[in-house]
């Protein structure tokens, strides 16, 4: 059976017996929503608050995991377990043919609809191993990111992963490559408090119960599968939305791993600062053991493969590029590639930017890193040396703040020397307003007609040939105030170095606090201009992610209870007439509080917790010239001497009548929060006991007992 979606054919395996309109898979509702998302033509780049499912399936950043692979126009690619096509788009524009195998018929439909215009794509639905056997010919690339974790579902025995890999290996051409991915059992995020993304359980990855593998386990599987000649890569922050791909030949440097919160699927703990721990692991050479995920490429000894990849595609498509570092016997080289068709012009303009900057910087004795264009790709010399940022950090690490301030003045002179021949009175152009808005400057400035906005400390490198400017893609023919360039470089440097922010470095650069505000507005407008309506993953994180529970906050509230108090002053119990109190029980678990009531309070309600709980009320006293005992009612169940059992998330203790003039209440009680399942089980048992008691004391039953005993 086949179905056509544009130019893409979906072939359904004969073993599929369920009609497509009656799929009873547990994912049915989610799949329906995903298919509707595609049918309605939504673009996730424009969605500010997507659901986790939409983000997982349709974020363009998903393809970053494998888009960088050097697939050529003559290659056949097999996606084994293609799901809804999260990675597929990264292959279609490069490969001769892409074949997708996916078990779910509906997800095959979604994939085909997403890429309905592709002429080199075919999709097969049903048992992926059976479909694999029917495919003609072998493949140059087999992309199987989920095969390791899913092997146990298809093969029995201790070596299910080995069996799966050996079967896939048989479908590779002589020089073909198998691409695998896996979560790391020992990934640092799990130590820091991230839950297992598949089941929401904390720390089960560390004890081996969750999904994933350690690096040593993966190396053993590869050896047993006779795939020992494999390269390990490390997607960062994880493999779902990677922004960087490291390798054993290019490991991260200290300070680089600073985007670690990615709990889109649910809440997580934050038990320590992952960036600082990463820095320690990097210094000790232990990063590969604790990377959050692995990407493995087998039989890969080609010089065309990058040793490091960085994506800059979380912005407008016209600026979406990828930066690779290549390594060969001749040394290293930097390559910049367009990730979208719209970004090709941006890449091709880099040679022109190099020429403009070389002329401009010559006056200051600086040159721009040489750019060479080949087939629409920009290649740059890989420079060895120390960046100006590293120079500043040397002073910072030694707490030589005078030396740091002097180095900043050196930077200021360098910049001014380069721009001096071209400086002219600054005037707001239409281009300037488009990029930076219309700020209200209060003084006259000077600026050059062409500016590299990224004249930042990390892009100035001191080499054996002198100072060079690198990574100058934000070079535009637009005049900006020189002070804005100074502010931009220093503000980016200070952003992650809090201890330097009280030294008045900005003022020493000649920039007032009022100018800082103006330049911040310019920068905000510039960033929006670069996005052109694109919603970044960081913004989507704010709207989509689960709660982030930090250790300090948990410790601050450890041993504390929170109660909500309502006072009825004639309008009933309302949120407007309520307040929260934090309480701390004593060593025996008893909480004692005094409540001050508003004037005219007629009744009182206390919510002792926000979860099912067991409450024992010791005393509730009203104070009116003396103390008097208050009667109360509740919405729980009495448990003899144990207290009140609540199976609701809204437990209540209500004092329906207060003596007129009562302004203070003394409360003494214990509160034991319960697991919801435990509370319901206790309530169910209590109901059964009460039912048994009623039956036992029912007059007919009592009569039968008397007859049985001859009374």
């Amino acid at each position: 059976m086949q179905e056509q979606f544009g130019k893409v054919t979906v072939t359904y395996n004969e073993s599929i017996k369920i009609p497509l309109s009656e799929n009873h898979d547990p994912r049915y509702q989610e799949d329906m929503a995903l298919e509707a998302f595609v049918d309605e033509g939504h673009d996730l780049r424009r969605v500010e608050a997507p659901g986790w499912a939409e983000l997982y399936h349709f974020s363009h950043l998903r393809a970053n995991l494998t888009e960088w692979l050097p697939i050529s126009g003559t290659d056949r690619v097999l996606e084994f377990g293609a799901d809804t096509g999260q990675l597929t788009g990264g292959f279609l524009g490069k490969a001769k043919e892409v074949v997708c195998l996916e078990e779910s018929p509906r997800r095959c439909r979604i994939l085909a609809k997403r890429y309905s215009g592709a002429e080199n794509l075919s999709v097969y639905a049903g048992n992926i191993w059976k479909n694999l056997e029917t495919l003609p010919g072998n493949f140059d690339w087999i992309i199987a990111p989920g095969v390791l974790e899913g092997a146990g579902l298809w093969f029995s025995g201790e070596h299910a992963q080995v069996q799966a890999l050996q079967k896939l290996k048989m479908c590779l051409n002589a020089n073909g490559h198998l691409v695998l991915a896996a979560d790391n059992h020992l990934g640092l995020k799990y130590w820091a408090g991230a839950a297992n993304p598949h089941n929401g359980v904390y720390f089960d990855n560390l004890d081996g119960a969750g999904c994933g593998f350690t690096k040593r386990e993966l190396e053993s599987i590869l050896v047993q599968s006779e795939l020992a000649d494999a390269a390990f890569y490390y997607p960062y922050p994880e493999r779902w939305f990677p922004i960087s791909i490291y390798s054993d030949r290019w490991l991260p440097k200290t300070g680089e791993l600073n985007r670690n919160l990615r709990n889109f699927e649910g809440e997580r703990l934050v038990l320590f600062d992952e960036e600082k721990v990463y820095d320690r692991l990097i210094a000790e050479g232990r990063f590969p053991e604790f990377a959050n995920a692995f990407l493995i490429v087998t039989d890969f000894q080609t010089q065309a493969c990058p040793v490091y990849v960085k994506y800059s595609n979380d912005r407008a498509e016209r600026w979406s590029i990828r930066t690779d570092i290549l390594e060969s016997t001749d040394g290293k080289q930097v390559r910049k590639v367009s990730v979208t068709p719209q970004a090709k012009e941006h890449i091709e303009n880099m040679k022109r930017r190099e020429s403009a900057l070389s002329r401009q910087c010559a006056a200051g004795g600086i040159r721009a890193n040489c750019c060479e264009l080949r087939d629409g790709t920009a290649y740059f010399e890989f420079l060895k040396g120390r960046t100006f940022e590293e120079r500043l950090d040397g002073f910072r690490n030694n707490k030589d703040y005078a030396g740091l301030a002097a180095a900043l003045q050196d930077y200021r002179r360098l910049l001014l020397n380069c721009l001096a021949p071209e400086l002219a009175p600054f005037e707001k152009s239409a281009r300037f307003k488009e990029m930076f808005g219309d700020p209200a400057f209060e003084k006259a400035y000077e600026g050059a007609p062409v500016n590299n906005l990224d004249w930042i400390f990390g892009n100035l490198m001191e080499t054996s040939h002198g100072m060079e400017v690198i990574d100058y893609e934000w070079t535009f023919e637009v005049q900006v105030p020189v002070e804005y360039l100074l502010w931009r470089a220093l503000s980016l440097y200070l952003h992650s170095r809090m201890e330097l922010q009280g030294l008045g470095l900005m003022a020493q650069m000649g920039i007032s606090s009022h100018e800082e505000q103006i330049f911040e507005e310019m920068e905000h407008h510039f960033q929006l201009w670069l996005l052109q309506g694109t919603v970044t993953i960081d913004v989507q994180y704010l709207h989509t992610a689960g709660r982030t529970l930090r250790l300090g906050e948990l410790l601050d509230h450890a041993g504390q209870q929170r109660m909500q108090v309502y006072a009825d002053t004639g309008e009933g119990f309302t949120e407007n007439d309520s307040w929260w109190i934090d309480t701390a029980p004593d060593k025996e678990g008893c909480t004692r509080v005094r409540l001050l009531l508003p004037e005219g309070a007629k009744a009182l309600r206390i919510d002792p917790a926000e979860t099912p709980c067991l409450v024992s009320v010791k005393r509730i006293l009203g104070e009116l010239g003396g103390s008097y005992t208050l009667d109360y009612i509740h919405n729980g169940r009495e448990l003899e001497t144990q207290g009140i059992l609540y199976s609701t998330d809204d437990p209540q203790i209500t004092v329906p009548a207060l003596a007129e003039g009562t302004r203070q209440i003394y409360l003494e009680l214990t509160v034991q929060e319960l697991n919801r399942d435990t509370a319901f089980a206790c309530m169910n048992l209590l109901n059964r006991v009460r039912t048994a008691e009623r039956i036992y004391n029912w007059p007919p039953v009592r009569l039968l007992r008397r007859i049985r005993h001859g009374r």
Side-chain angles (χ1 to χ4, degrees):
M1 174 183 171
Q2 291 186 331
E3 194 171 6
Q4 196 73 24
F5 299 91
K7 298 178 181 179
V8 179
T9 301
V10 178
T11 302
Y12 299 100
N13 189 292
E14 293 179 359
S15 63
I16 298 175
K17 304 298 184 183
I18 302 173
L20 296 179
S21 59
E22 299 178 9
N23 189 337
H24 297 294
D25 189 285
R27 300 179 297 183
Y28 175 71
Q29 293 299 328
E30 178 179 285
D31 287 355
M32 289 288 287
L34 295 177
E35 190 166 8
F37 191 93
V38 174
D39 289 341
E40 293 167 10
H42 294 296
D43 181 359
L44 200 73
R45 291 172 179 265
R46 302 291 185 267
V47 180
E48 188 171 84
W52 163 237
E54 287 84 4
L55 191 66
Y56 176 88
H57 287 277
F58 299 128
S59 172
H60 65 286
L61 301 183
R62 291 297 311 277
N64 290 357
L65 182 69
T66 52
E67 183 275 340
W68 57 276
L69 294 169
I71 295 170
S72 73
T74 60
D75 288 342
R76 291 187 78 214
V77 176
L78 171 66
E79 255 198 281
F80 189 82
D83 203 2
T84 57
Q86 297 96 318
L87 306 181
T88 311
F91 311 133
L92 292 175
K94 298 192 290 185
K96 176 183 178 181
E97 180 186 5
V98 178
V99 177
C100 292
L101 301 186
E102 167 55 36
E103 196 163 11
S104 165
R106 188 167 296 277
R107 296 202 170 187
C108 285
R109 290 162 58 96
I110 295 170
L111 189 156
K113 289 181 178 182
R114 289 180 71 176
Y115 306 109
S116 59
E119 297 180 345
N120 59 339
L121 173 64
S122 53
V123 184
Y124 293 82
N127 186 301
I128 52 180
W129 293 102
K130 289 185 178 179
N131 279 333
L132 180 65
E133 296 173 355
T134 67
L135 297 177
N138 286 343
F139 294 88
D140 301 290
W141 296 85
I142 296 180
I143 315 296
V147 72
L148 292 170
E149 293 176 353
L153 300 174
W154 300 309
F155 299 92
S156 59
E158 296 181 8
H159 305 293
Q161 288 81 19
V162 175
Q163 296 177 62
L165 296 187
Q166 288 177 337
K167 195 163 185 178
L168 289 176
K169 182 181 176 183
M170 294 171 60
C171 299
L172 281 173
N173 285 326
N175 297 316
H177 313 292
L178 180 59
V179 181
L180 310 169
D183 291 324
N184 183 6
H185 261 317
L186 301 180
L188 189 65
K189 69 176 183 179
Y190 300 119
W191 297 93
N196 183 326
H198 302 288
N199 59 21
V201 177
Y202 287 108
F203 306 118
D204 73 335
N205 275 54
L206 298 180
D207 61 24
C211 299
F213 304 86
T214 66
K215 187 178 182 185
R216 183 173 295 181
E217 288 172 336
L218 291 172
E219 289 171 338
S220 175
I221 291 170
L222 292 169
V223 170
Q224 294 176 65
S225 306
E226 298 181 348
L227 292 167
D229 188 15
F232 272 78
Y233 290 85
Y234 310 99
Y236 175 80
E238 27 61 33
R239 65 182 173 118
W240 309 123
F241 311 103
I243 54 176
S244 300
I245 311 287
Y246 294 94
S247 73
D248 288 321
R249 291 183 290 169
W250 188 279
L251 294 170
K253 299 178 178 61
T254 57
E256 287 185 357
L257 306 184
N258 53 21
R259 298 180 66 179
N260 299 304
L261 293 182
R262 281 295 183 269
N263 53 308
F264 293 96
E265 73 285 350
E267 72 175 23
R268 67 158 291 180
L269 305 174
V270 179
L271 303 181
F272 54 76
D273 187 333
E274 286 162 84
E275 181 180 355
K276 292 181 179 178
V277 177
Y278 265 134
D279 285 349
R280 181 70 184 274
L281 293 171
I282 290 167
E284 296 290 331
R286 305 288 299 277
F287 168 75
E289 299 171 56
F290 296 95
N292 289 327
F294 304 113
L295 186 74
I296 302 167
V297 185
T298 69
D299 298 309
F300 210 23
Q301 300 299 323
T302 173
Q303 294 184 6
C305 185
V307 298
Y308 170 69
V309 175
K310 180 181 179 181
Y311 279 91
S312 301
N313 61 336
D314 199 14
R315 56 200 193 193
E317 291 177 288
R318 64 183 291 196
W319 313 118
S320 292
I321 67 170
R322 188 187 81 226
T323 302
D324 304 331
I325 294 181
L326 308 175
E327 186 177 53
S328 68
T329 54
D330 297 328
K332 294 185 177 70
Q333 192 174 36
V334 179
R335 176 176 67 188
K336 290 186 180 287
V337 184
S338 59
V339 177
T340 62
Q342 297 92 324
K344 289 183 178 179
E345 182 181 358
H346 183 53
I347 293 293
E348 292 169 353
N349 283 337
M350 289 188 180
K351 180 62 180 178
R352 185 168 56 83
R353 296 184 184 109
E354 182 226 337
S355 300
L357 283 180
S358 294
R359 290 193 302 271
Q360 188 180 73
C361 294
I366 299 175
R367 77 179 186 98
N369 188 15
C370 182
C371 173
E372 179 185 351
L373 285 178
R374 297 200 302 267
D375 299 325
T377 299
Y379 292 84
F380 299 85
E381 180 184 358
F382 181 87
L383 300 178
K384 295 181 180 180
R386 181 180 68 162
T387 66
F388 202 88
E389 182 174 83
E390 290 172 324
R391 176 181 171 188
L392 293 176
D393 278 340
F395 292 115
R396 171 193 171 216
N397 294 335
N398 293 326
K399 294 184 170 31
D400 182 1
Y401 300 128
L404 189 147
L408 288 176
Q409 294 303 318
D410 290 341
Y411 165 83
R412 186 173 185 275
R413 282 190 291 272
L414 276 174
L415 177 60
L416 290 173
N417 287 342
C418 289
L419 300 183
E422 299 181 0
L423 288 180
F426 169 75
E427 294 182 1
K428 294 180 190 176
S429 64
R431 175 76 160 163
F432 175 89
K433 292 179 181 179
E434 175 193 345
M435 295 174 62
F436 302 101
D438 190 10
F441 294 127
E442 295 185 353
K443 71 177 189 180
Y445 293 104
E446 288 187 319
V450 175
N451 283 281
N452 171 21
L453 303 182
D454 260 357
W455 249 91
I456 60 177
F457 307 142
N459 288 345
L460 279 179
M461 181 166 283
E462 299 169 302
T463 72
S464 57
H465 302 293
M467 189 75 75
E468 298 197 33
V469 180
I470 62 174
D471 205 4
Y472 41 75
E473 66 169 309
W474 296 146
T475 298
F476 298 99
E477 294 179 357
V478 61
Q479 190 185 37
V480 299
V482 175
E483 285 78 0
Y484 170 69
L485 300 177
L486 295 169
W487 170 85
R488 195 169 194 271
L490 184 53
S491 65
L492 288 173
Y493 179 74
L494 295 178
H495 179 72
S496 58
R497 297 166 174 83
M498 299 298 294
E499 78 278 12
L500 301 180
Q501 295 187 7
L503 300 180
L505 297 175
M506 200 67 76
Q508 293 180 47
M509 293 281 271
I511 299 170
S512 69
S513 57
H514 181 64
E515 284 178 303
E516 285 190 70
Q517 294 177 5
I518 293 175
F519 295 149
E520 284 173 4
E521 292 176 7
M522 283 177 58
E523 181 68 16
H524 177 68
H525 201 286
F526 175 59
Q527 293 300 326
L528 292 178
W529 181 76
L530 292 178
L531 293 174
Q532 296 184 355
T534 300
V535 181
T536 67
I537 193 72
D538 291 329
V539 171
Q540 290 171 329
Y541 174 81
L542 294 175
H543 291 277
T544 303
R547 293 186 302 168
T548 300
L549 308 174
R550 299 184 180 274
L551 178 61
E553 298 170 357
L554 296 175
L555 292 176
D556 288 342
H557 291 89
Q560 291 189 348
Q561 294 171 347
R562 194 175 183 224
M563 299 182 184
Q564 189 171 14
V565 181
Y566 295 80
D568 178 8
T569 57
E571 301 295 330
F573 297 125
T574 66
E575 292 291 329
N576 291 335
D577 291 322
S578 73
W579 65 97
W580 291 91
I581 58 171
D582 291 324
T583 62
D586 61 20
K587 291 187 297 183
E588 297 175 353
C590 187
T591 297
R592 300 174 177 86
V593 294
R594 291 188 180 276
L595 305 175
L596 299 179
L597 303 180
E599 187 175 356
K602 304 178 183 299
L604 177 71
R605 189 183 109 192
I606 301 163
D607 293 0
E610 298 177 89
T611 62
C613 56
L614 180 64
V615 176
S616 177
V617 179
K618 309 297 185 183
R619 286 189 291 178
I620 300 183
L621 303 177
E623 296 188 3
L624 183 64
S627 298
Y628 67 96
T629 301
L630 292 170
D631 295 325
Y632 62 88
I633 57 178
H634 57 79
N635 63 337
R637 293 290 297 274
E638 297 282 353
L639 273 182
E640 303 294 339
T641 59
Q642 282 76 28
I644 307 166
L645 174 66
Y646 295 94
S647 60
T648 174
D649 289 333
D650 189 24
Q652 301 174 9
I653 299 169
T654 303
V655 178
L658 293 170
E660 186 177 351
T662 301
R663 297 295 302 277
Q664 193 171 156
I665 299 293
Y666 176 75
L667 176 65
E668 191 175 307
L669 77 171
T670 62
V671 180
Q672 182 178 353
E673 295 185 355
L674 300 175
N675 177 276
R676 184 172 284 98
D677 292 338
T678 302
F680 277 110
C682 291
M683 188 66 76
N684 184 50
L685 179 61
L686 182 61
N687 289 336
R688 294 174 64 182
V689 170
R690 293 288 187 266
T691 300
E693 288 176 347
R694 286 196 298 271
I695 294 174
Y696 185 82
N697 293 314
W698 191 35
V701 174
R702 291 169 59 188
L703 178 60
L704 287 173
R705 287 203 307 271
R706 292 177 63 184
I707 293 173
R708 179 177 299 174
H709 292 290
R711 297 179 185 174

